[in-house]
Each structure stands twice: as structure tokens, then as C-alpha cells.
Amino acid sequence: MAGIPLYFVDLQDDLDDFGIEDYGQDCGSMRITAFLDIPGQDNLTPLARLEKYAFSDNVYNRQIIARGLLDVFRDFSNNEEGFLTVMEIVVRLSEDAEPTVRTELMEQIPPIAIFLQESRPKFPTAFFEYLMPIVVRYLTDINNQVRKASQEALLILLEQDLVAQSDIENKVCPILLDLSAPDSDDEYKVEAVNIICKMASMLSRTTVEHMLLPRFCELCSDGKLFQVRKICAANFGDICNAVGQEATERLLIPKFFELCSDSVWGMRKACAECFMAVSYTTSPEVRRSKLSPLFISLISDTCRWVRQAAFQSLGPFISTFANPSSAGLYIREDGTLSIRPPAQDVNSNSCQPSNNITLMSSSANAALSSSEQPMEIKPESSTEETSAEVHTKLSEDLNKDLREESSDCCASPGEEVSHLCQGDTAAAGATEAAKESSFPGMSSRLPSAEDVFNTFLYWRPPLPDISQDLELLQFKAEKHNDACSVPCNNCVASSEIKKVLESLQEHIDDPDVQAQVQVLSAALRAAQFDSVGDCETKKMEESGDNLQNKMILDETAVADAACNQVQGDTLLSPASQDDISDQSATSVLKSTDSEEQHRGTSVFLRKEQESNPSFEDDKSKLQDIIPQPLLDQYLSMTDPARAQTVDTEIAKHCAYSLPGVALTLGRQNWHCLKDTYETLASDVQWKVRRTLAFSIHELAVILGDQLTAADLVPIFNGFLKDLDEVRIGVLKHLYDFLKLLHADKRREYLYQLQEFVVTDNSRNWRFRYELAEQLILILELYNPNDVYDYLRHIALTLCSDKVSEVRWISFKLVVAILQKFYANGANALGLNFINELVVRFRHCSKWVGRQAFAFICQAVVEEECMPVDQFVEHLLPSLLSLASDPVPNVRVLLAKALRQTLLEKAYFKSVGNPHLEAAEETILALQSDRDQDVSFFATIKLKQGNMDSITIEKQN
């Protein structure tokens, strides 16, 4: 409804003719068609008078009728005959020759349709027969304003779900398809494309895919009007989301490639801006293999504006690769990111379908051994070591017996066997047992102690770690399966980058082109690096035959141990065991092709690091979650040269999207972003640091407590001493950050909270207001003694602030502190705090302090912060003594506290209560007060929602 103006233009001269005087903007409650109810000398009924003015020769009369149709429908909604007559008048009015009348009429159709839906049971018939044809007809009106009004009305009706599916398919879509036809007028075509893109998200997927998608694909290749292609590019993400993944990859991705290479830079810029929305709709394979190289081409575009838009979308595009579960996190129903409980981690890992022990064990080891792991996982370390120890001893013991007899279960641990021995149904279950026993840290999944633990097995010497050799086995199987073929994705990327570099050589003198050449050169080196990793992997495979045979025997022995209670009927020869192992490895590689295509790089990095210690620096920036060129480009956003050749705000965009990139890479790859984050945290622009300050609590959730303490806490401490514009970002989420720290680390900030009271500008009162709000939340993080020693002083300081808003929120903080003391049994601290409140506020020389004491007492009773007997003993006498205060504002708040809160409690309603008599005497005295407001609040019992006490006192 926001797009339809419902205002009435003041036409005083014309209204005077109808006998209405002094109709102006102040008469907002008067109906515009009120003249229909005034008896005139024409002796006509209101309906006849409506028809007379609706077809008057005066165009302003017709405008007023069109503008007031909603009131007319309200008047005649209960009269069936009159209602149909009004509908016929509307239809005739829609044929008016004056465009302004048609525009006014169209602007009223959406509110009329909503009113009819709410008030008339026969709404569909009335709307579809009379009003919907007008909307459809006006889409082809010769006047531009009328067409725009009809387009806005159509979108509102679709948004409110007021248009039937049959009308959409049989009336609306055919009109739009005709207007967007190749031989259509240019102006109509542009408008039709715009309305098609906007309404796609409001229609069903079937309707969009079968009726609008073919035409949209044609318009993306429109060679006549670049405006049409630009509208398609700007709304490409919405269309992808409307049709789903299958249609996007089959029909829209090729068109998106065309738009990204369009000769007009505005098209390429629009594609860069909607890249994240397009990527979100595609599969991970398409996102990695097709969209990533395409995005690299946009980042290295010849036009600076395209590069600027691409760098702004780089972080959001990287975030589409994210999988929060891999980082030990999950997204709650309210959309917030939270740490997954340890039990949930175990369940998710055990239930996750995977055919590769190397993938799962490496990820589990990284999660358990890295400093990013939540502290709840730590107690499982001993169990993890025991499990691994028992597993290795068990495997060696049964490896010895393997030469004597064959096992029914011949699968390697952690692998899904493609061919099992026929007739042996128990072998599959034994394989699952071997899988469970191979996962470190999962004590609940281990076999019973009598099955796997005895003195003989315990004293066996441990086997060496063969996790790296397992990777060699997988690559050996890939060699036999794929006939020594190497994935050529990196080769294709390298050739494409080389072509672009060659085309830029003739413009090498241009500084912008030089920057692009640097970008492409880095991408080319990364692509070549991946291809070298593949070659190195193949060389290592060729020299690993003997090791492979040993590994097969070891793995088979472990599987035999897991299946030692299964009695087999069929014996396999060693040759058949090798065949089954090769088949298993081949099956693993086929089913996990998307993960394996980057494993060659990781193996090459490990060998290179062993031979070259200086290679460690390069490795710190490598990972296999996202394409490496994307990460390289993101890390380069902190380069000062980027600010000169791309965008002066590029560092801010980098800081804004860093939490999303960190979530995508996961805790195990934080080392890739650590240097970039530290560079941004020390950026000279305070806007960059402010962006990081506002998101540091989210980054702490992603990284976990240990990485937060090691890498984020120093930066957090720096933000605490920064400008107020930066400190406010830390302050707004102070509680969210502190609750993620360990108790000992969190306690260090008690000394620094006092610094928030001092600001660069004393008139920045909102800073202190935010501090009080955060302190109310922070109270739960500290024990009563720390609250009394540190936070109490801050609260009392804020209670004396010059700004009323800060004082009132600080009074709530004082009440929360008092509640903290008594809730934790620290009655002595609570009593000391009460005595301090009495001295500071009840006996304050300023009336605002005494008024604050009355408010605090009222809040204490409302929140039930302390036992009633403690309240009546220590606070009630001082509160009742305010009845003789010389300032009426203090007595007003006292009267409200007694009448609205204190006397409503059951304790004071009980008969024979010794304190009830004193309270009633005070109320009687206030009822006869010489001040009218005091007597009013002491006499009248107001509802809690009728009058806000804080608002009244602030006004006073």
C-alpha cells in the first residue's frame, strides 16, 4: 500500500460549488464525497447525485469522485442494488478521456479491493468481473502515468494475494508477453520487463517457469535496447530464486554468462551486484566450477565501476560457500548464529553420510586439536587417546592373524564397501562397527571393554600413524580408475587467464590495466600451483605401491577385528582382497569427487613444507573450502593500491563481509584471515574499525573461546581505547562478547568498564545510556562481590548523570543490582547497598534524587527484588517519609508508588498487617494534598498501561 498515494488535493473552489465551506487540510476526518449526503436543490438521491458528478463536464468533479470511491463503497456496501450501481459507474468512469481521472481511479483500486475482501462475502465475483479488467486494460494505456499507476496497483494486488491464478495466467501474463515481444514499442517493452521481474517473486514457481522464464531468457539477449538487458541483469537474482536450482542451471546460467561479458559496462556492473543471489540458487559444483572463474573475470574487468561492484560483492559471494555445521556452529530459528552443543556435534558427525575415512578423520582431528574447539570438547581428550591406542593395538594384533585365515568382513575402516561377500549379511554391520571404532573422541560409540580390551591387546606395541598414507591409497585408486587422468579445471582456468592477459598487453600503460594485470597474474599463479600439486601427487603415487599393499593388509586386519564375532562361510584369497580394496577405493573416489578434486593440493603442500621450511608462509593462506583465487582477491582488499585503483571504501567493504568469510572458511582456516583482520583493525579510517567493532562479537562466536582469547581479545582491548564512534560498536554488544570468554579472562574487564563512563564528547549521552543497558545484562556474568566492588560504583555514577534518559535507565540498573544480591543470597551486600541508596537518594539535597528514590522503591516492589519483610524494614519507612517533601513532583511519584504498586501486593492487603495502616494513613494525607496532581494520583487507581510513570516524571 505504500506505493499508492491516498492523499486528497485541496480543491476549495470546486467544493464551494457543492455547498461545502472551509474544507482544508485540517478537516482530515471529512469524507471527500460528503457533498453526496447534502440535500441540494436538484432533489436527487445520493446515488443519482454520484452519477451526475461522475460524468460531469467539469474534469475536477470527476477527479473528486474517482478519489473518493473508497468512501462511496463504504456507504453502499450494505445495499446490494446500490453496490452494483456504483460498480457500473466505476466501469464507465474508467473509460474517461482525461488521463488524470483514470490515474486517480487506478490509485483507488487496491484499497477498494482490500475493503471488499474484508467486508463483502462475494468479493471475488465483484472484483474479478469489474475491477480486474480495468487493471489489465490500463497496462496498455496510451498515457505513461496511467500505465505506471496500473503497474503499481497490480503489484499491490499480487502482494496481497487478491488476484486469482486463472487471471494471472489468462489475463496478466499474456498482456505482459505481448508488451515484451521483439516487435513491441521500446517504452512498453522496458515497462513490461520491469513488471515481469518484480512480479516473479509473487507468483508460483510453475507459472514463472512455464510462462515468463522463456521470455526473460529472450530479453537477456535483446540486442536492440541495452535498458532491457540492464533490467534483466539487475533482477537476475530474483528470477533465479523464483524458478529454483534446476531451471537456473539449465537456462539462466548461460544467459548470465552472456550478460557478464556484455559490451556495456553497466550490464557487467549489475551482474556483479546480484552475483550472490545467483550463486545462492546454484549447486556447489556449479558455484565452484563455473561462477568462481566468472567472478574473477569481473574483478579484473577493464572498467573501474565494474571492479568496484565486484569487490563489494566478493565477500557476500564467498559466504555462499558456507556450511556452518563444518565450523561447529548452527543457525537458530530466529536466525542467530550459535555454538553447537558437544552432543549435537557427535550426533551430526556420526550420522553424516561419508565414504572416506581420510576426509572425516582429518576434519575431526582438526576440530579437536585446533585451538578453535569449544571448551566443552576438552574433557574428551583422554577418551580420544584411549580409543586411538586400543584401535592401533587391535589392528596390529589381528594383522598378524590375517596371514593364517581370511575374514568375512574385508572392508577398510571408514570406507563403504561396494562389494560384500555374498550370503554374509552380518558383515555390513561389522563394517559399521569398524567405522565407529575409528573415530577418535566418540567414547559412546566404542565397543564394550570385554570385546576390545584385554592384557594381551593392551601390551601390544603401537602401530605408526598411517593417515597420510591413506591419502596416497586414494590417489592410487584414482590413477587406476581414471587411467591416469588429472582434472583439467585448473588448466582451463589458466588458459582463460592467459588469454585475458594477452588482450591487456596493448593497454599496459593504463594504471587501471596494470592493476588488473597484477590481479590476473596472482590468479594465474594460484591456478598453476594447483596443477603442480596434481602432478606431484601422481609422482608420489607411482612410488607408493609397497606402502599401499601394507596399508591394505592393516586396514583389512582392523576390519577383521571389528567383525571378530561374525562366523564366515566363504574364504577369500589375498588377491581377491586386493581387488575388493581397489574397488572400495574407486567407489569412494567416485562418490566424493567434489571433495577429492582439491586433495592433490593439500598433499603437495605437506611434502613441500617438509622439504622447504620457508614454504610455511605461503601455506598459511591456502585452504580448500573456496577457490583459492577468490580468497586471494579478498585478502588483497586491504592493499592500499586497491583504494587508489578500485574504491576508496574497499577496506570498509572488506571489514563488513569478514564475519561471513570467516564463517565460510571455518575455525580451522582462521589463519588465512588473521593477518587481514589485524590490518583492518589498525586501519587509519575509523569507519573501517567501527565496522569491525560492531561485528567482533559475531566473529567470536565463529572462532570459539580459545581463538577469541588469543586473537580477538587484543583487538577488542584496542577498540576500548579508540574513538567514541568505534567504542560504541563494542559497547552495543559488550555482553555478547564477554559471555564468550572464560571467567578469569572476563573478570579482567571489570577494571575497564569504568572507562566507558568517560566519552570524548560529554554531550554524547546515548553512549552512557547504552552502557547502562549493557550493564543490566552483564550482571549475570559476575558474582555478587564483583558487582558490589566494581559495577555498583558505575551504576551510582550514571544515576547522577545530567541527562534524564540516562538517569532513568540507571535507576533500573540499580534495581537489577539489588535483585542480583538477594537472588544469590548476598543479603549483607544487599543491606549495605540499600543503606547507601537511602543516604544518596532519600536524603539528597536535590528533589530529583528524592524522586528517584520513590521510583526505585516502586520498581523494587514491582520486580520483587527482595523479600517483603526486608523491604518494609529497610525501605518502607524512608519511602513514607517523602509524604512531607516540599516538592510536589516527589509527592506525585510517592502517591503513584503507593496506589498503583505497593497497595496492590497481597502482603499489604492482608488484614492485621502492621504496615498497612501506615501506608493507608500516608495515602489519606496525600489525597488531601494541596497540589491537585498529588491528590489525583493518590485517589484514582490507574491501570498500569494507561499512564507511564516514567514519561510523566520526565515531563515534570
Side-chain angles (χ1 to χ4, degrees):
M1 296 298 296
I4 301 298
L6 300 178
Y7 55 86
F8 298 139
V9 181
D10 186 10
L11 302 175
Q12 184 65 47
D13 297 337
D14 301 287
L15 292 175
D16 289 341
D17 298 335
F18 303 133
I20 300 178
E21 298 180 356
D22 298 333
Y23 179 81
Q25 297 180 353
D26 296 336
C27 302
S29 60
M30 179 180 291
R31 293 186 301 110
I32 192 67
T33 55
F35 62 89
L36 298 176
D37 303 329
I38 301 177
Q41 297 181 358
D42 49 11
N43 296 325
L44 297 176
T45 62
L47 199 58
R49 192 176 297 113
L50 171 66
E51 188 172 0
K52 172 184 175 182
Y53 291 120
F55 307 107
S56 171
D57 294 336
N58 190 339
V59 64
Y60 297 107
N61 295 347
R62 305 199 300 274
Q63 284 183 2
I64 291 177
I65 294 298
R67 196 176 300 135
L69 279 176
L70 180 59
D71 292 330
V72 174
F73 275 104
R74 288 195 180 103
D75 294 339
F76 293 96
S77 60
N78 297 324
N79 186 346
E80 190 68 25
E81 182 179 354
F83 177 80
L84 295 177
T85 303
V86 173
M87 277 294 186
E88 295 175 356
I89 293 175
V90 171
V91 174
R92 293 173 58 187
L93 194 63
S94 66
E95 302 173 354
D96 196 288
E98 178 60 36
T100 57
V101 177
R102 301 199 302 274
T103 303
E104 293 283 359
L105 172 64
M106 183 51 58
E107 291 176 350
Q108 295 303 311
I109 285 184
I112 290 175
I114 294 175
F115 167 74
L116 295 179
Q117 182 190 34
E118 296 174 351
S119 61
R120 291 192 56 84
K122 297 181 179 180
F123 157 74
T125 303
F127 177 75
F128 299 147
E129 291 184 0
Y130 294 97
L131 299 183
M132 192 61 198
I134 300 176
V135 177
V136 175
R137 188 172 73 250
Y138 278 9
L139 291 173
T140 59
D141 197 273
I142 58 175
N143 186 268
N144 183 35
Q145 292 297 325
V146 177
R147 291 198 307 272
K148 289 186 178 299
S150 65
Q151 294 166 10
E152 294 177 357
L154 177 61
L155 293 177
I156 294 174
L157 295 174
L158 290 173
E159 184 180 4
Q160 299 292 329
D161 198 19
L162 299 177
V163 184
Q165 184 68 23
S166 58
D167 284 345
I168 295 175
E169 297 179 354
N170 300 327
K171 296 180 180 179
V172 178
C173 288
I175 290 292
L176 296 177
L177 294 177
D178 291 340
L179 293 177
S180 59
D183 56 347
S184 177
D185 183 76
D186 293 347
E187 186 177 3
Y188 286 84
K189 182 185 293 186
V190 173
E191 294 176 355
V193 175
N194 193 26
I195 194 69
I196 286 175
C197 294
K198 290 182 178 179
M199 65 185 291
S201 60
M202 307 176 190
L203 305 181
S204 65
R205 177 171 297 182
T206 304
T207 302
V208 177
E209 187 171 351
H210 291 110
M211 301 196 69
L212 300 181
L213 184 57
R215 177 55 51 85
F216 179 82
C217 294
E218 295 177 7
L219 295 172
C220 289
S221 304
D222 189 286
K224 183 180 179 181
L225 289 174
F226 79 92
Q227 293 92 338
V228 173
R229 302 197 307 275
K230 187 172 183 179
I231 294 175
C232 293
N235 297 275
F236 209 93
D238 296 335
I239 299 297
C240 292
N241 185 50
V243 299
Q245 176 179 324
E246 192 275 334
T248 297
E249 297 180 355
R250 178 170 50 89
L251 299 174
L252 291 178
I253 291 300
K255 296 298 179 182
F256 191 63
F257 271 74
E258 294 179 7
L259 292 174
C260 288
S261 59
D262 197 280
S263 58
V264 181
W265 67 267
M267 240 69 65
R268 305 194 300 273
K269 179 176 179 292
C271 290
E273 292 172 346
C274 69
F275 214 96
M276 183 195 71
V278 177
S279 175
Y280 181 77
T281 316
T282 60
S283 63
E285 293 77 10
V286 173
R287 185 179 303 127
R288 179 180 291 272
S289 61
K290 295 183 178 181
L291 294 185
S292 296
L294 180 62
F295 194 85
I296 292 296
S297 66
L298 292 176
I299 279 186
S300 57
D301 196 88
T302 56
C303 179
R304 176 172 182 170
W305 307 114
V306 179
R307 299 198 305 273
Q308 178 177 328
F311 272 108
Q312 291 180 12
S313 301
L314 177 57
F317 174 53
I318 291 177
S319 68
T320 59
F321 290 83
N323 181 15
S325 60
S326 64
L329 306 172
Y330 74 101
I331 300 178
R332 295 178 177 176
E333 295 181 356
D334 58 357
T336 59
L337 194 65
S338 182
I339 303 175
R340 180 187 292 112
Q344 190 172 347
D345 275 332
V346 173
N347 294 334
S348 63
N349 288 338
S350 62
C351 299
Q352 181 179 3
S354 177
N355 301 323
N356 191 301
I357 184 174
T358 305
L359 174 63
M360 295 195 67
S361 62
S362 62
S363 62
N365 291 336
L368 290 171
S369 62
S370 64
S371 59
E372 300 90 332
Q373 186 68 15
M375 59 182 179
E376 290 84 1
I377 304 296
K378 294 177 183 178
E380 297 183 3
S381 59
S382 59
T383 306
E384 171 188 337
E385 295 170 359
T386 304
S387 172
E389 185 179 6
V390 172
H391 177 74
T392 55
K393 293 169 177 53
L394 176 66
S395 61
E396 179 181 308
D397 176 65
L398 292 179
N399 186 28
K400 174 182 177 181
D401 299 334
L402 178 65
R403 298 173 179 83
E404 300 176 3
E405 63 178 0
S406 300
S407 172
D408 299 325
C409 182
C410 303
S412 301
E415 295 179 353
E416 182 178 348
V417 183
S418 59
H419 297 283
L420 293 175
C421 303
Q422 296 181 357
D424 191 355
T425 57
T431 305
E432 291 298 322
K435 292 182 185 180
E436 296 168 2
S437 64
S438 64
F439 292 155
M442 299 184 183
S443 57
S444 62
R445 303 293 300 273
L446 290 175
S448 59
E450 57 268 23
D451 293 335
V452 300
F453 187 83
N454 54 50
T455 56
F456 174 75
L457 297 179
Y458 181 81
W459 294 111
R460 299 290 294 180
L463 288 175
D465 183 18
I466 60 171
S467 59
Q468 298 182 8
D469 300 330
L470 289 177
E471 295 182 355
L472 297 179
L473 170 64
Q474 294 159 2
F475 283 103
K476 183 68 176 178
E478 183 182 19
K479 175 182 177 181
H480 293 295
N481 184 61
D482 299 336
C484 301
S485 62
V486 179
C488 59
N489 293 336
N490 295 328
C491 300
V492 175
S494 300
S495 61
E496 294 294 334
I497 295 175
K498 289 179 180 178
K499 292 179 181 179
V500 177
L501 284 173
E502 292 174 359
S503 64
L504 294 177
Q505 291 301 322
E506 56 185 11
H507 306 288
I508 196 63
D509 296 334
D510 190 346
D512 290 343
V513 175
Q514 293 176 4
Q516 299 165 35
V517 170
Q518 295 176 1
V519 172
L520 290 175
S521 300
L524 179 60
R525 288 194 298 270
Q528 293 175 346
F529 184 76
D530 289 342
S531 62
V532 171
D534 294 333
C535 298
E536 183 68 19
T537 303
K538 289 181 63 60
K539 293 179 181 179
M540 290 188 294
E541 291 171 359
E542 296 174 356
S543 62
D545 293 337
N546 296 331
L547 180 60
Q548 176 191 357
N549 295 332
K550 177 183 177 181
M551 289 166 53
I552 292 176
L553 293 177
D554 293 342
E555 294 168 20
T556 309
V558 175
D560 185 24
C563 307
N564 57 3
Q565 296 181 358
V566 179
Q567 302 299 327
D569 298 330
T570 305
L571 297 180
L572 298 178
S573 63
S576 62
Q577 295 174 14
D578 294 339
D579 294 338
I580 291 180
S581 299
D582 291 338
Q583 293 173 0
S584 301
T586 303
S587 176
V588 168
L589 294 173
K590 288 182 179 180
S591 61
T592 58
D593 181 65
S594 60
E595 291 88 354
E596 293 297 330
Q597 61 181 346
H598 300 282
R599 193 172 300 280
T601 302
S602 61
V603 176
F604 169 72
L605 291 176
R606 186 182 301 111
K607 297 299 182 181
E608 185 68 18
Q609 179 185 354
E610 295 175 357
S611 61
N612 185 7
S614 63
F615 188 72
E616 178 67 22
D617 296 337
D618 295 334
K619 180 192 172 185
S620 64
K621 305 299 182 184
L622 298 177
Q623 41 71 49
D624 58 356
I625 304 298
I626 63 176
Q628 189 62 35
L630 290 179
L631 180 60
D632 293 339
Q633 295 300 326
Y634 179 80
L635 298 179
S636 69
M637 293 176 71
T638 57
D639 187 355
R642 295 290 191 196
Q644 300 177 3
T645 59
V646 180
D647 185 10
T648 56
E649 299 287 332
I650 189 171
K652 181 181 178 182
H653 296 301
C654 180
Y656 180 80
S657 56
L658 195 140
V661 177
L663 174 63
T664 303
L665 296 179
R667 300 174 182 176
Q668 67 275 12
N669 292 312
W670 167 243
H671 58 270
C672 299
L673 297 174
K674 179 181 176 181
D675 294 341
T676 299
Y677 190 78
E678 292 176 352
T679 302
L680 293 172
S682 59
D683 196 277
V684 294
Q685 301 182 67
W686 63 266
K687 292 182 179 180
V688 177
R689 305 194 304 273
R690 173 185 170 93
T691 304
L692 293 180
F694 270 94
S695 62
I696 192 171
H697 67 289
E698 294 289 356
L699 190 59
V701 175
I702 297 172
L703 297 184
D705 54 351
Q706 296 186 13
L707 273 182
T708 297
D711 298 335
L712 296 189
V713 167
I715 296 176
F716 182 83
N717 295 337
F719 288 158
L720 294 180
K721 304 175 182 179
D722 212 313
L723 301 176
D724 284 352
E725 289 79 4
V726 179
R727 296 170 70 203
I728 188 64
V730 174
L731 181 59
K732 276 185 174 294
H733 303 284
L734 185 61
Y735 166 75
D736 297 326
F737 185 83
L738 292 180
K739 72 178 181 180
L740 300 174
L741 303 179
H742 288 289
D744 54 346
K745 195 69 177 178
R746 186 188 306 144
R747 197 172 185 276
E748 297 177 2
Y749 287 95
L750 285 171
Y751 308 95
Q752 304 182 38
L753 291 176
Q754 183 69 34
E755 300 176 2
F756 281 108
V757 180
V758 182
T759 57
D760 298 338
N761 185 359
S762 60
R763 286 184 283 185
N764 188 11
W765 61 269
R766 291 181 177 85
F767 194 93
R768 301 187 295 275
Y769 183 91
E770 188 67 38
L771 173 61
E773 284 191 327
Q774 287 295 312
L775 288 178
I776 294 176
L777 301 174
I778 290 174
L779 290 177
E780 71 175 57
L781 302 178
Y782 297 100
N783 58 58
N785 291 325
D786 289 338
V787 172
Y788 186 85
D789 294 337
Y790 299 99
L791 303 186
R792 174 179 60 91
H793 298 291
I794 302 177
L796 295 177
T797 301
L798 293 175
C799 287
S800 304
D801 197 90
K802 296 180 180 179
V803 180
S804 176
E805 287 284 352
V806 179
R807 293 198 303 271
W808 286 107
I809 189 67
S810 301
F811 298 154
K812 295 182 178 180
L813 172 60
V814 167
V815 174
I817 291 176
L818 194 60
Q819 186 176 17
K820 172 79 174 181
F821 291 152
Y822 282 98
N824 290 272
N827 294 351
L829 296 179
L831 182 58
N832 293 338
F833 191 46
I834 288 176
N835 295 333
E836 188 172 3
L837 292 178
V838 172
V839 173
R840 181 180 288 265
F841 294 105
R842 168 59 189 91
H843 302 292
C844 181
S845 58
K846 297 182 178 180
W847 66 270
V848 291
R850 302 191 298 274
Q851 184 190 51
F853 182 78
F855 173 79
I856 292 174
C857 293
Q858 182 181 9
V860 167
V861 175
E862 287 180 348
E863 302 295 335
E864 298 181 354
C865 299
M866 55 188 299
V868 180
D869 56 343
Q870 294 286 323
F871 174 82
V872 297
E873 180 181 355
H874 301 292
L875 285 178
L876 184 60
S878 299
L879 177 64
L880 297 179
S881 64
L882 292 176
S884 59
D885 195 277
V887 179
N889 287 350
V890 178
R891 302 196 303 274
V892 165
L893 200 56
L894 172 62
K896 292 170 60 180
L898 295 177
R899 173 59 67 183
Q900 299 177 16
T901 304
L902 202 65
L903 296 179
E904 294 298 321
K905 296 297 180 181
Y907 178 83
F908 291 94
K909 289 182 178 180
S910 59
V911 181
N913 190 323
H915 305 284
L916 178 61
E917 182 178 355
E920 289 181 345
E921 291 178 357
T922 305
I923 283 292
L924 292 176
L926 294 175
Q927 288 177 353
S928 59
D929 195 276
R930 60 182 181 276
D931 187 89
Q932 184 177 1
D933 293 333
V934 176
S935 60
F936 172 80
F937 284 105
T939 305
I940 304 298
K941 178 182 177 182
L942 297 177
K943 293 183 179 180
Q944 190 67 24
N946 290 345
M947 192 75 69
D948 191 336
S949 60
I950 299 179
T951 304
I952 293 178
E953 295 307 321
K954 287 189 292 185
Q955 291 175 351
N956 292 338

